[in-house]
Every structure is written in C-alpha cells, then in structure tokens.
Amino acid sequence: MHVIKAMLRQPAALFGLAVVIVVVVMAIAAPWIAPFSPDDQMFDGLSMEGAPLPPDGHFLLGTDTLGRDLFSRLLFGARTSLVIGLVANGVAVAIGLFVGIVAGYLRGIIGNLMMRFTDLMMAFPALLLAIVLAALLKPSLWIVAMVIALVNWVQVARIVYTETRGLVERDFIMAERSLGAGHFRILVRHILPHLMPTAIVWGTLGIATTVLLEATLSFLGIGVQPPQPSWGNIIFESQSYFPDAPWLVFIPGAIILLTALSFNLVGDALRDILDPTQRGRG
C-alpha cells in the first residue's frame, strides 16, 4: 500500500502505470477486442491498385500490405512483445541475481571467475551479440526470449554483486554465522530479501529495454517470424510502403515508444520508492 500510495502522488508514474495497464489488458483481451483475425487477408482490405487502405470507419488503423487489419495485428502483436518482455526479462533478472549473489557471497577464486565472465559478456555490444545468437538459432518466440535474456543479465549481476559484497560484511550476517547458520539460510533468509527491491526495479526497467530489443530483432528479420505478429515485424513488413502508407510504420513505432517510456516511468518511480538512498532527492 505504501508503494501504491507513493506512485499515485507522482503524475509521471501514474501516467506510465495507466499506459502499462491499458497495454496489458488489451493484449490479454485481444481475441475479444480485435475486430478481425490478425492473419485474415481480406478481399476489401486493399485498394483497386493493391495498396494498403488508410484508417477509416471499417479498418480503425488501416490495413497492411496484405490487406490484414492493422489494429487486430497490433493487439495480437502486443501479446508477443509483452510475453517476450516478461519472460526474457524475468530470466535475465533470475540469472543476474544468481550470479551476483553467489559471486558476492563466495568471493575468492569462484567469485572472481564469475565476475570476469560477466565483464567479458558486458564487453560485447548487446545488440550485436543478440543478432549473432538469433542468427545461429532458428528464430521463434521462445528462442528470441532466451536470446534476449542471455544478453541482458549482466547489468543485474554487476549491481547485485556490489550490493551483496556490502551485505556480507554487515553485523547481522556476522551474527548469523557465529550462531552456526548455514550458507543457504543466510543467502535465502537474510541476503536475498535485501536484494528484492533492486530486482523489482531492474525487472521493471528491463522490460522496456527488452521490448525495444525484440522490436529491433524482429525489424531486422531475425526475431519473431511472420505470420505471428509482433510490433517489430509489423514495421519490418511495411517499411517498403513507408512513402505511400506511413501509418504502417508510425503507429506501431509510436506504440513501442509509448510502452517503453511507460515501463521506464514506472521503474524510475519504484526505484525512488524502494531504494532508501533515493528518498528525499529531487
């Protein structure tokens, strides 16, 4: 309740939360909201010259290059983008938590090796590494999610490692050790709860990055493959028609931008609320 009340006092966070809720609800309810099937190539969906139709009363956001309803494809594309965002970011946060906690708690040779590997992964540009992995594997929804997770865990691991190093030197951890508590109990009962605010904040902020990365991979043709719609491959399929049908690029691009911005606003608000070092600033 404290978190909810604090977010309601921040207009930017409230706006971001409202947009996120709308996107999630529309993605879940896509089969009932969408006026057409996302794969239906309708006879009246193209002009006499075979060009996409602009937005009108029948097709709310116009049609694409194959005569499919753009509004319906965007609704189902939201499902794809959000599933990848949640799954990929959830896996990335889980991997980052595991690596950061283990390396920060054990330290020594094992901790140094794990963090040097993390530094090595950070040295590669995330987009380039994702492109290489996606090109080597057969693109699909779950493969794209795993590829994005494998390139996004390093930032979480570095932050968690730094916080864990500070926690293991605290007096309450020393007291637990002196009482004979095992490593598992210390990690799960005393260190992990202190790291949950960090995980929640990075989990929220990372969804925006994940959605953008999925859109980029799909735009490059190595993400989610047609006919399954995603916001990125909708733009990819329509880019050649940009001069004649700009709505096919502008509308999904604006949705991607708005969604990413909204998740960032919510993440920034959660960071200010949950991180005690941020309180009182601004």
Side-chain angles (χ1 to χ4, degrees):
M1 292 301 298
H2 160 70
V3 173
I4 295 175
K5 290 179 180 179
M7 291 193 68
L8 292 178
R9 291 194 294 266
Q10 302 184 35
L14 191 59
F15 169 78
L17 184 62
V19 172
V20 168
I21 292 174
V22 169
V23 172
V24 171
V25 169
M26 294 189 73
I28 294 174
W32 299 277
I33 297 176
F36 306 98
S37 170
D39 299 326
D40 281 353
Q41 301 179 25
M42 286 161 285
F43 180 77
D44 58 346
L46 296 173
S47 66
M48 296 299 294
E49 294 78 18
L53 296 178
D56 57 27
H58 187 49
F59 300 109
L60 296 179
L61 298 179
T63 60
D64 67 1
T65 57
L66 298 178
R68 298 171 295 190
D69 180 53
L70 181 60
F71 178 64
S72 301
R73 288 187 62 76
L74 287 174
L75 287 176
F76 281 88
R79 291 182 135 199
T80 302
S81 298
L82 289 179
V83 165
I84 290 179
L86 293 173
V87 172
N89 202 53
V91 174
V93 170
I95 296 174
L97 274 174
F98 175 78
V99 173
I101 291 176
V102 173
Y105 183 78
L106 296 180
R107 294 177 288 183
I109 296 177
I110 296 178
N112 286 332
L113 286 176
M114 295 179 73
M115 294 316 297
R116 297 298 74 77
F117 176 72
T118 302
D119 293 339
L120 179 64
M121 292 293 293
M122 291 183 70
F124 290 98
L127 178 58
L128 180 60
L129 184 59
I131 290 173
V132 172
L133 291 174
L136 293 176
L137 303 171
K138 184 179 179 180
S140 68
L141 187 146
W142 301 112
I143 291 296
V144 171
M146 292 303 103
V147 166
I148 294 175
L150 290 176
V151 300
N152 276 352
W153 62 269
V154 290
Q155 293 85 0
V156 180
R158 173 56 66 181
I159 296 295
V160 170
Y161 171 76
T162 302
E163 293 194 11
T164 304
R165 285 291 301 268
L167 286 170
V168 295
E169 302 296 336
R170 300 280 294 275
D171 291 341
F172 68 94
I173 298 296
M174 298 295 185
E176 280 290 316
R177 286 177 175 170
S178 66
L179 293 173
H183 298 306
F184 183 79
R185 177 182 173 85
I186 293 175
L187 287 172
V188 175
R189 295 291 300 274
H190 299 284
I191 292 181
L192 185 59
H194 285 80
L195 299 173
M196 290 312 297
T198 300
I200 293 172
V201 171
W202 276 92
T204 308
L205 289 172
I207 292 176
T209 304
T210 304
V211 169
L212 289 172
L213 186 54
E214 181 278 325
T216 302
L217 292 176
S218 296
F219 174 75
L220 294 175
I222 53 177
V224 178
Q225 298 299 296
Q228 183 174 7
S230 79
W231 292 338
N233 67 27
I234 290 174
I235 298 176
F236 172 72
E237 294 173 342
S238 309
Q239 57 182 326
S240 60
Y241 279 77
F242 176 71
D244 300 317
W247 63 88
L248 294 177
V249 175
F250 278 133
I251 295 176
I255 292 174
I256 293 171
L257 178 63
L258 182 61
T259 304
L261 175 62
S262 299
F263 275 110
N264 274 330
L265 291 174
V266 173
D268 284 339
L270 288 176
R271 180 194 60 193
D272 296 339
I273 296 168
L274 298 175
D275 187 356
T277 63
Q278 299 291 329
R279 295 174 188 167
R281 295 186 180 184

